[in-house]
Amino acid sequence: MPHAEDLDAFWELLRSGASGVTEVGDDRWPGQGDPARPAAVRHGGFLPQVDTFDPGFFGISPREAVEMDPQQRLALELSWEALEHAGIVPGALRGEPVPVYVGVMADDYAKLRLADAGDDPDPYAQAGTQRALIANRISHFLGVQGESMAVDTGQSSSLVAVHLACEALLSGRATAALAGGVQLNLLEETALMAAKLGTLSADGQCYTFDARADGYVRGEGGGFVVLKTLARALADGDRIHAVIRGTATNNGGSARGLSVPSAAAQEAVLRQAYERADVDPAQVHYVELHGTGTKVGDPIEAEALGAVLGRGRSSAQPLVVGSVKTNIGHLEGAAGIAGLLKTVLMIRHRSVVASLNFAEPNPAIRFEEWRLRMATAAAPWPGSEAEEPLLAGVSSFGIGGSNCHVVLSSAPVPPAGSAASEPGASSRAGVVPWVLSGRSAEAVAAQAERLRARVESDPALRPADVAWSLLHAREAFDHRAVVVGSDREELLAGLGHVLPVVAGTDPRVGVLFTGQGAQRVGMARDL
């Protein structure tokens, strides 16, 4: 089953047009292989081994870890990886007013534990199953003291979390923020309830904007982003993947029903987002749809896009749209962050990937009139040959009418002489060290293997750049190893023979002056 363990794997899944939707295995819900089960319930985008976790890495006892919602565990892992990807040493944030916002709506594990607790609940169970603690766990582990919120606005939760992080940065309450979302589908009854509500696709596929659209297929996973103001990121020399130009949220108010989307509200949130971003909607190249593939929701979303982004646009340059839900299913509480990450990756690679399962346009969507076109094949970003920034939008809507839209653009080219444009040590020749560390010797060996695979997959990586990142952008743990070499091949060979040692609690520097040479065997061994 295809699934994405990191950003590179996620991009490969998207670029290749692969689907992560499959039938659920018996290890998740026993008996699901029974063909008598509805396909809507049997299919989904599932992560493997959601029960695995390294509690010691996060300073959590094994007994407490058992009582933790796996969504808490996943959020800890993803937030750590996001910081490392951003080149921020997590330990350096301790005591800083960094806010954490996590979109989450599922509580399957709490229901499972409640049913299993009987008359003797574990004392760790309450903290382990409270959704509020998904964000609080991260803040506690990192030692950060900004706002810490679990955000639940239904299926728009994780994109609303990004919106709140942007507001915190713009207000000056923070200089950096963590935002994201997680979703794990652990309880069969939750899927059955969605199927009875009629929101799931009968054959377990998501047909966004297609004539076959009859509901979505459920998915699970998560993602996090590290956010700073553009000025701060440029000053810090950060690698900027994309710029959030503006965000907006609203609610449908008195729509036709609590669970029925409002075209007027969606149109309003789009207008507000582009006004805040100071972006002409007619200049936007791509929008990542909420795109659930439902009979009611798809035409309403398309109409709102046509009213705001279709106006002033020629038929020769329609708005390109797509939905990541066709690849990985609807991540519900984490759907918005999945769509955001997909769009950021497309901007970074300057290409649009295919939205799957589109064969015949939905007759209720007036594609020509509303100037819309589905991305049915991988292609260069529309107008990417021009010097203007690439512009995109991301939508996410909650079942109760909580709407969110985010406006993105490509990152500016760093000015000459800035920290981000300087090669630094990359241009220097000579021997360089690759420093590795981990919580255990096994962890160091595993990191060496991952590093070797990463460097072998990217010939453009320069040894000195890798050395700098390992020294300055990763946490230093007690178990350490170092590989030295003067070229790429020597360093890669050394990664296969790392010998971790435990760093002393009181490290000291020793200097040896040997004079003309060694005077006797074993000289200076005591030192």
Side-chain angles (χ1 to χ4, degrees), residues 14-40:
L14 296 170
R15 184 199 63 78
S16 63
S19 171
V21 175
T22 185
E23 288 200 22
V24 61
D26 284 346
D27 59 336
R28 181 66 67 93
W29 300 334
Q32 283 304 303
D34 182 356
R37 292 277 185 176

Side-chain angles (χ1 to χ4, degrees), residues 242-285:
V243 178
I244 295 178
R245 299 282 290 266
T247 68
T249 60
N250 73 357
N251 191 274
S254 56
R256 288 178 291 169
L258 180 63
S259 61
V260 179
S262 165
Q266 290 183 18
E267 182 178 333
V269 82
L270 292 170
R271 292 191 189 282
Q272 188 176 44
Y274 289 100
E275 286 171 5
R276 289 184 175 181
D278 193 23
V279 167
D280 179 359
Q283 301 303 312
V284 175
H285 308 109

Side-chain angles (χ1 to χ4, degrees), residues 185-266:
N185 303 322
L186 308 176
L187 194 62
E188 178 186 3
E189 284 74 13
T190 307
L192 289 169
M193 183 171 61
K196 290 179 180 178
L197 186 62
T199 59
L200 298 188
S201 169
D203 65 355
Q205 296 293 328
C206 186
Y207 298 103
T208 302
F209 279 24
D210 188 88
R212 295 167 291 173
D214 63 345
Y216 62 84
V217 60
R218 301 184 80 207
E220 63 181 14
F224 275 77
V225 290
V226 180
L227 302 175
K228 294 182 180 180
T229 62
L230 179 58
R232 169 73 65 161
L234 289 171
D236 291 345
D238 293 325
R239 182 184 183 188
I240 304 169
H241 296 287
V243 178
I244 295 178
R245 299 282 290 266
T247 68
T249 60
N250 73 357
N251 191 274
S254 56
R256 288 178 291 169
L258 180 63
S259 61
V260 179
S262 165
Q266 290 183 18

